[in-house]
Amino acid sequence: MALRAAWRARAAACSLRAAWAPAVPCPPLPLGLRAGAARTLRTGPALLSVRKFTDKHEWITTENGIGTVGISNFAQEALGDVVYCSLPEVGTKLNKQDEFGALESVKAASELYSPLSGEVTEINEALAENPGLVNKSCYEDGKLLLEIQRIIAAVNVCRI
Amino acid sequence: MLIPFSTKNCFRLLCNLKVPAAGFKNIVKSGLILQSISNDVYQNLAVEDWIHDHMNLEGKPVLFLWRNSPSVVIGRHQNPWQECNLNLMREEGIKLARRRSGGGTVYHDMGNINLTFFTTKKKYDRMENLKLVVRALNSVQPQLDVQPTKRFDLLLDGQFKISGTASKIGRTTAYHHCTLLCGTDRTFLSSLLKSPYQGIRSNATASIPALVKNLLEKDPTLTCEVLMNAIAAEYAAYHQIDNHISLINPTDETLFPGINSKAKELKTWEWIYGKTPKFSINTSFNVLYEQSHLEIKVFIDIKNGRIEICNIEAPDHWLPMEICDKLNSSFIGSKFCPIETSMLINILHRTCPEDDEVHSKWNILCEKIKGIM
């Protein structure tokens, strides 16, 4: 069950906040270099894209202020073939631990719980036609792409 | 043995939520066998929701026995238009419910037993539950040939489905429920679970039709009462608890605080129809108008049970496109529902000063559209 949710979380959970605030200010982009190339030279963004796992086998990564949520390989194997992904509407506001959808596999509906609070701004539409992507590629193509914008006041974190 | 008694104390002990009472450490094997006194499908589904949300099932599994008056129950991610004959259900007063677990569509009546096995997520094991049911059946009738399949059905004599399964897995708890056909009206079941609607394109999970049979047809001693008692006895033996069925009233707010609002939610149009995954209908029908046959093409997109796109195409000589479009636009945003469609057409008549002939043609189209809703 790869559900990758993209989250834009300005005030992250403590563990994420530590990952977000780099020890040194972000170096300016050298002229002439593409943003993608420059990014790989930084330590800040690398820390941000570390995958963190919850005890319910969901994972979250953040990159450039966008968080992505998915389900681990262990979880997708335990589920079996996913036949349906029920995802929230764009615009849905979620609190941490809110049920935001479900996956169906072999007649079992498994609930999905939000690891962060925020507003959904994007979902992975491919899963509607092809829910099996969740099994085939739980960290890449089968992710549930949600962009979640935090609703609380922004905290002064380094913006990339 | 059925003993009606107040389960309030029992429940309070078992309904320890996230805050464990100081000193409440139950090292004795425990569990509960409950049976609903209600035959209302929504109330009984609400009991499942309630137990799933509120009961601490650690070391205390629960078996829930229930039967419903005639109802069709669809799975969480199913499309009722694809699964059953909604027109027939409305004529016969058969309820439609959407459950929260996955799986396919089933027909319930008083000849069908529903069993729900509640456990912690760790102890969730559908095959174990089904084997328990088989043992219970064999304890009543040792010659009975019943086997679970890989898809968690129960087959009689290797070919007839007598039970279907579905389940729901939450954060810490899970439930597995299944049906058991004792003496259901099979003819009615077949006609209700056959959808007459054409041209539906949908990602919803589809049911797999199966040949069914009633246990009573195999052995007239296998009544619902006999089987419920046998399953309860087997469950009690397996979990080493008292063989004691507690009758519960699903509308009792003192036992189940908040349960009536759960039942209410299950009855809403938004849950039953509105939760249908996005689908489209691409079909056509014939209209006989003053001895000539006309082909009307219909293309409708439905999301959350409401019409998003509506394209009813009639021959231009019969109904000009601009007039047809007025009808199409009026449908946008409305529920895909015959009652709402009737209301819509009344409003359209009042607000659009077209002539009587146009109005009568609109009526003809609407009756046809209602027929596919």
Side-chain angles (χ1 to χ4, degrees):
Chain A
M1 301 184 272
L3 297 177
R4 216 172 24 180
W7 307 74
R8 189 182 293 128
R10 300 241 165 81
C14 292
S15 55
L16 281 175
R17 193 174 296 160
W20 271 29
V24 295
C26 306
L29 264 180
L31 283 170
L33 277 179
R34 288 172 295 116
R39 208 161 53 192
T40 59
L41 297 173
R42 299 184 189 178
T43 55
L47 275 175
L48 289 169
S49 54
V50 163
R51 203 186 305 275
K52 293 176 189 297
F53 288 83
T54 69
D55 61 350
K56 299 284 174 282
H57 299 285
E58 288 142 1
W59 55 262
I60 178 163
T61 63
T62 50
E63 201 169 327
N64 289 341
I66 296 172
T68 303
V69 170
I71 292 203
S72 70
N73 194 47
F74 178 89
Q76 72 79 12
E77 274 180 357
L79 257 193
D81 290 341
V82 175
V83 298
Y84 191 83
C85 300
S86 171
L87 302 178
E89 296 274 331
V90 166
T92 307
K93 293 186 171 60
L94 297 172
N95 290 313
K96 188 175 170 181
Q97 299 210 340
D98 271 359
E99 184 236 308
F100 72 86
L103 296 180
E104 182 162 345
S105 61
V106 203
K107 311 180 189 184
S110 295
E111 311 258 84
L112 297 163
Y113 300 97
S114 174
L116 282 185
S117 298
E119 182 181 324
V120 176
T121 52
E122 195 185 335
I123 62 169
N124 185 354
E125 305 278 353
L127 291 175
E129 296 281 332
N130 201 348
L133 282 172
V134 166
N135 300 108
K136 288 179 206 141
S137 174
C138 62
Y139 297 115
E140 295 300 325
D141 295 332
K143 59 195 176 187
L144 167 59
L145 195 70
L146 299 174
E147 252 187 28
I148 298 204
Q149 183 116 25
R150 275 241 164 188
I151 307 162
I152 62 181
V155 168
N156 196 15
V157 292
C158 173
R159 290 195 194 193
I160 295 128
Chain B
M1 195 164 63
L2 280 168
I3 300 174
F5 78 110
S6 167
T7 53
K8 282 182 193 172
N9 290 336
C10 206
F11 254 69
R12 292 222 176 93
L13 279 176
L14 286 163
C15 295
N16 248 326
L17 294 174
K18 277 123 194 178
V19 183
F24 181 70
K25 290 214 194 288
N26 198 338
I27 51 168
V28 174
K29 282 211 188 273
S30 115
L32 265 187
I33 304 172
L34 306 175
Q35 184 171 326
S36 178
I37 62 169
S38 164
N39 302 123
D40 179 290
V41 63
Y42 308 112
Q43 289 174 3
N44 288 328
L45 288 172
V47 171
E48 287 188 322
D49 282 352
W50 195 95
I51 294 176
H52 183 69
D53 291 346
H54 296 294
M55 280 183 77
N56 180 0
L57 297 161
E58 191 68 50
K60 302 172 195 74
V62 173
L63 172 67
F64 176 43
L65 305 164
W66 42 299
R67 287 192 289 165
N68 296 319
S69 59
S71 321
V72 170
V73 184
I74 58 174
R76 169 97 172 251
H77 304 124
Q78 291 205 292
N79 179 331
W81 289 277
Q82 225 175 12
E83 296 295 332
C84 50
N85 190 334
L86 293 171
N87 286 330
L88 181 60
M89 286 166 63
R90 284 175 202 126
E91 280 166 39
E92 300 288 335
I94 309 294
K95 292 178 192 164
L96 175 65
R98 179 187 296 271
R99 57 181 190 266
R100 296 193 191 274
S101 56
T105 300
V106 286
Y107 169 67
H108 292 181
D109 66 15
M110 292 302 287
N112 168 69
I113 303 171
N114 298 303
L115 313 163
T116 312
F117 298 86
F118 293 92
T119 57
T120 56
K121 210 159 150 175
K122 289 194 197 120
K123 293 278 186 177
Y124 166 74
D125 190 337
R126 291 173 288 186
M127 199 48 83
E128 186 183 288
N129 299 335
L130 292 176
K131 285 180 180 164
L132 190 153
V133 175
V134 171
R135 286 197 305 274
L137 293 174
N138 284 136
S139 73
V140 180
Q141 174 47 275
Q143 260 78 59
L144 208 61
D145 173 15
V146 176
Q147 296 295 332
T149 67
K150 281 188 197 146
R151 283 185 59 81
F152 309 106
D153 293 336
L154 284 181
L155 287 188
L156 175 67
D157 295 336
Q159 34 165 195
F160 300 106
K161 184 170 170 178
I162 58 164
S163 167
T165 270
S167 55
K168 179 172 164 196
I169 303 169
R171 219 193 312 260
T172 53
T173 59
Y175 64 77
H176 160 217
H177 53 201
C178 58
T179 53
L180 192 60
L181 290 176
C182 294
T184 293
D185 184 340
R186 281 207 280 131
T187 318
F188 205 27
L189 181 157
S190 302
S191 54
L192 287 169
L193 298 188
K194 191 176 161 65
S195 165
Y197 309 110
Q198 303 291 315
I200 297 179
R201 234 199 94 223
S202 161
N203 292 329
T205 55
S207 298
I208 297 173
L211 265 179
V212 298
K213 199 170 192 176
N214 284 307
L215 284 166
L216 270 175
E217 291 169 60
K218 186 81 187 170
D219 181 341
T221 64
L222 301 175
T223 63
C224 286
E225 283 73 23
V226 163
L227 292 182
M228 284 193 288
N229 285 332
I231 292 164
E234 189 62 42
Y235 188 86
Y238 184 79
H239 291 286
Q240 294 168 50
I241 59 173
D242 280 346
N243 181 10
H244 197 144
I245 301 177
S246 310
L247 293 184
I248 55 151
N249 178 352
T251 59
D252 187 345
E253 284 277 333
T254 56
L255 259 186
F256 307 103
I259 197 168
N260 288 304
S261 78
K262 284 189 189 289
K264 200 169 159 192
E265 202 206 321
L266 288 165
K267 282 194 228 190
T268 61
W269 187 93
E270 280 69 31
W271 173 255
I272 299 173
Y273 296 97
K275 277 292 181 192
T276 305
K278 184 170 175 177
F279 69 104
S280 63
I281 296 180
N282 196 344
T283 190
S284 62
F285 39 71
N286 288 320
V287 161
L288 181 63
Y289 189 80
E290 289 172 355
Q291 279 136 30
S292 59
H293 281 278
L294 307 151
E295 196 202 18
I296 315 286
K297 291 194 186 136
V298 174
F299 180 79
I300 305 179
D301 245 17
I302 298 132
K303 188 178 170 187
N304 299 327
R306 288 179 184 271
I307 297 172
E308 255 196 344
I309 297 173
C310 185
N311 240 325
I312 303 166
E313 250 178 57
D316 205 51
H317 63 86
W318 188 71
L319 198 67
M321 198 159 65
E322 329 69 81
I323 311 278
C324 218
D325 280 347
K326 267 195 192 167
L327 185 66
N328 284 325
S329 338
S330 73
F331 274 118
I332 309 279
S334 73
K335 290 180 184 173
F336 190 63
C337 159
I339 298 169
E340 182 130 325
T341 298
S342 295
M343 284 186 338
L344 257 179
I345 199 65
N346 286 337
I347 295 169
L348 199 61
H349 282 334
R350 284 203 305 272
T351 57
C352 286
E354 317 295 328
D355 60 46
D356 283 348
E357 193 186 321
V358 165
H359 282 191
S360 95
K361 289 176 181 177
W362 274 345
N363 282 342
I364 291 169
L365 289 179
C366 275
E367 285 308 304
K368 286 287 185 179
I369 296 286
K370 276 159 66 178
I372 64 167
M373 286 178 161

